[in-house]
Amino acid sequence: MTMASEQRLRIIIEAVDRASQTISSISRRMYSQFRQLRAQMLLIGGIIVGFAAAAVRAATNQALAIDNLRGSLETMGQRYEDVRTRVDPLIKELDRLSKFNRTDLTEAFTTILNIVGDVDTAMRLLPLAAVVASAFGKPIQDAAKDIGLAIIG
């Protein structure tokens, strides 16, 4: 092998070696970024699953609260479908204005209704229960029960 051939072979080997090092470095960085991306995707997936589970739980709790209200109304000879158009807007508005969610408000309304036995009176007392519960830092269920009992003496 001639000296020029050896020189060309050494240059080619060095170029291949440098290219190999560069490719290896790029590969390591890509693998690291892929691992980071994978970890972030798993975290985002976990968050989405958590939100979905919370939404399902909230919907289930609200459905149970409405079933309880329906049962209370039926024992009073009324139908939920007949009072829903009056009660739902009140609960939605209080949900928007207060710190209580629809489930808590529906349960509190049912509590007051069970005590006073009248939908109109329960509708007037529910906002008061929300205010009292907020002012005293107590659960709205407790405030609803206290107000309902105070009204009936």
Side-chain angles (χ1 to χ4, degrees):
M1 186 175 256
T2 66
M3 185 82 133
S5 296
E6 283 182 21
Q7 182 69 15
R8 274 187 243 136
L9 185 57
R10 194 173 328 130
I11 290 171
I12 291 172
I13 290 173
E14 286 176 7
V16 167
D17 192 40
R18 275 191 240 124
S20 177
Q21 289 173 359
T22 301
I23 290 171
S24 178
S25 173
I26 291 170
S27 176
R28 281 193 304 273
R29 279 185 275 168
M30 287 177 65
Y31 180 72
S32 174
Q33 289 175 352
F34 173 76
R35 288 180 53 137
Q36 290 173 358
L37 179 62
R38 182 176 174 260
Q40 291 171 351
M41 293 302 287
L42 287 172
L43 177 65
I44 290 169
I47 290 170
I48 290 170
V49 167
F51 280 130
V56 168
R57 193 170 32 256
T60 301
N61 290 342
Q62 179 62 15
L64 290 172
I66 289 173
D67 281 346
N68 289 338
L69 175 57
R70 181 176 278 116
S72 292
L73 287 165
E74 286 174 3
T75 61
M76 296 175 191
Q78 297 186 50
R79 293 174 2 121
Y80 172 71
E81 290 71 22
D82 295 338
V83 299
R84 177 179 163 183
T85 56
R86 294 184 301 145
V87 174
D88 274 359
L90 172 66
I91 289 175
K92 285 179 184 175
E93 185 69 7
L94 288 172
D95 176 38
R96 188 179 70 77
L97 296 174
S98 73
K99 68 177 188 173
F100 304 106
N101 63 40
R102 292 186 68 184
T103 300
D104 292 336
L105 292 162
T106 303
E107 290 172 349
F109 179 81
T110 303
T111 298
I112 296 169
L113 179 65
N114 287 336
I115 295 169
V116 300
D118 178 64
V119 172
D120 293 324
T121 303
M123 287 179 66
R124 285 193 304 275
L125 295 177
L126 183 61
L128 179 61
V131 169
V132 168
S134 292
F136 290 99
K138 63 193 300 185
I140 191 168
Q141 285 289 12
D142 294 346
K145 182 179 177 185
D146 294 344
I147 290 169
L149 292 173
I151 290 298
I152 64 167

